[in-house]
Amino acid sequence: VSNAYARVVNDADGKELARYDLSEDASTNAAMVFVELYRGNEGDIKVKAIGQGWDSGLAGLAGSMGVNVG
């Protein structure tokens, strides 16, 4: 995949609020987490760039989150 990115867009006006471009070669990854979205202490939405990949695919990603895929 080339030119991969994740972005957060305001649905009301179409304005791009955040964007994360995948800048490294991730060709060996079968699964990838680009960003995390979470609610901050004041209730606002936070975006955190992650860019972590797993060559072991979805099972590897799930296992890193404590989920056993059998």
Side-chain angles (χ1 to χ4, degrees):
V1 176
S2 60
N3 300 319
Y5 62 90
R7 66 186 193 141
V8 178
V9 176
N10 183 332
D11 193 38
D13 62 9
K15 181 180 176 186
E16 187 175 86
L17 302 174
R19 181 182 178 109
Y20 176 75
D21 290 302
L22 180 62
S23 59
E24 64 182 67
D25 179 19
S27 61
T28 62
N29 296 319
M32 186 151 206
V33 173
F34 286 94
V35 297
E36 290 179 354
L37 298 173
Y38 60 96
R39 194 168 296 278
N41 292 334
E42 280 82 47
D44 50 340
I45 301 296
K46 303 285 186 176
V47 180
K48 180 179 179 183
I50 302 296
Q52 183 175 357
W54 291 264
D55 59 359
S56 54
L58 185 57
L61 186 155
S64 74
M65 306 278 178
V67 177
N68 185 14
V69 179

